[in-house]
Amino acid sequence: MSDPSTRSAKPFWNRLIQPAAAIREVDQRRQAALLSAFLLVLIVLAVVVEAATIALIDWSVPYTGYRQTVVMVGLLMIVYVVSRSRHFRMAAALTVAISSLFVFLSGLAQPEGILGGFLDFLILPLWFASLYFGAWELIGLLSLELAGLLIVPWLAPQISLNFILIGPFSFVVVMAAVLLLLAHQRDLLERDRQTELAEKELQYRTLVEQIPAITYLRAASPDSPTGFASRYLSPQFEAWLGYSIADQARHPGLWRDIVHPDDR
């Protein structure tokens, strides 16, 4: 038996990540929901980690990292609002840009963190970008991150170029190569899936257009005066009833109008 608190929390969480109604495609709605969820988790983790850092840090050493965290959380909250609209892809791009800049700026503000491997977190924006963008966009982001890494020693003299090349630079290159390989394989699988779906749709369409019956598909739609929206109507509709499919699209109630009143 499920916990009542869990049952009440799930609808609340679903409302927080529910995509905009303007997004119709199932895969795009799933991506938009994932983006909203990712942003909320990232915001909460940033607040928790920063609070723990402030509570445990040795304040004899100057610490200003909380400033970058406050700015990042504020920006991510704005991006979260954008992710709830139909512009979720723009929100995904902003998430990648903000998270990348946060890693660089936080590392430069506290160079000792770079020595502890903080710049390795640059792989996270790359991973996230691989979920929403193609290989060329991923390569572009990788190029910008690598260029930024090479500039770090000039902005933070205590960090040597050798340390950057041996540490975060090589780590990001290796992990990015893995991500690119996985993204390419994912694209190939998606292409194969789309081809298979197209072949099955052609087979189904060929079948229903040859049987002696009118075949149609409808889906519930609150925007339609009949409460349903037409998804497919076989050509037999025109041949048998004398009305075009365009007539049916313009007049959703045509089905009811052409049926004799005694048969309705």
Side-chain angles (χ1 to χ4, degrees):
M1 188 173 181
S2 60
D3 187 355
S5 61
T6 303
R7 291 198 303 268
S8 60
K10 187 174 181 180
F12 176 70
W13 173 254
N14 289 337
R15 285 196 298 272
L16 289 177
I17 66 173
Q18 184 177 10
I23 304 175
R24 301 285 186 177
E25 299 295 331
V26 175
D27 58 335
Q28 291 186 1
R29 292 185 64 82
R30 188 179 297 112
Q31 284 188 325
L34 174 62
L35 174 59
S36 297
F38 177 82
L39 286 168
L40 287 175
V41 171
L42 190 60
I43 290 170
V44 172
L45 285 178
V47 172
V48 171
V49 171
E50 192 60 47
T53 302
I54 292 174
L56 300 175
I57 196 172
D58 179 8
W59 285 96
S60 61
V61 179
Y63 174 71
T64 59
Y66 64 89
R67 298 174 183 173
Q68 289 80 17
T69 301
V70 170
V71 173
M72 185 194 74
V73 169
L75 291 174
L76 289 180
M77 291 178 69
I78 296 174
V79 175
Y80 166 74
V81 174
V82 177
S83 74
R84 302 294 307 281
S85 70
R86 60 187 179 89
H87 304 292
F88 74 95
R89 287 194 176 277
M90 181 177 69
L94 290 173
T95 302
V96 171
I98 291 171
S99 55
S100 298
L101 285 173
F102 172 76
V103 173
F104 275 115
L105 294 178
S106 296
L108 291 173
Q110 301 288 144
E112 57 272 16
I114 296 179
L115 297 174
F118 185 76
L119 290 181
D120 290 346
F121 284 107
L122 285 171
I123 194 61
L124 293 179
L126 283 169
W127 166 79
F128 183 77
S130 70
L131 299 177
Y132 289 88
F133 305 106
W136 288 111
E137 290 85 355
L138 200 59
I139 291 173
L141 175 62
L142 173 63
S143 300
L144 290 174
E145 287 195 352
L146 294 180
L149 285 172
L150 294 177
I151 295 174
V152 166
W154 278 267
L155 299 176
Q158 59 269 53
I159 307 297
S160 68
L161 180 61
N162 285 340
F163 174 83
I164 292 295
L165 293 175
I166 296 173
F169 190 95
S170 59
F171 174 77
V172 169
V173 168
V174 171
M175 295 306 297
V178 174
L179 286 176
L180 283 168
L181 180 62
L182 293 176
H184 177 66
Q185 185 64 23
R186 178 199 62 198
D187 292 343
L188 290 178
L189 291 174
E190 179 61 20
R191 192 180 308 164
D192 292 341
R193 187 181 72 88
Q194 293 294 339
T195 301
E196 183 180 0
L197 286 175
E199 292 175 350
K200 290 182 177 180
E201 181 181 353
L202 179 60
Q203 294 173 358
Y204 175 78
R205 186 181 295 272
T206 302
L207 173 64
V208 300
E209 291 180 358
Q210 291 179 351
I211 61 176
I214 297 176
T215 305
Y216 65 93
L217 292 175
R218 295 195 303 172
S221 174
D223 299 329
S224 173
T226 62
F228 294 91
S230 178
R231 292 289 180 261
Y232 173 77
L233 188 58
S234 65
Q236 290 91 327
F237 180 83
E238 295 185 2
W240 291 12
L241 302 180
Y243 294 93
S244 69
I245 295 178
D247 292 335
Q248 164 63 19
R250 286 192 298 268
H251 185 191
L254 183 60
W255 276 108
R256 177 178 175 83
D257 293 344
I258 61 179
V259 175
H260 192 278
D262 294 340
D263 296 329
R264 292 176 184 172

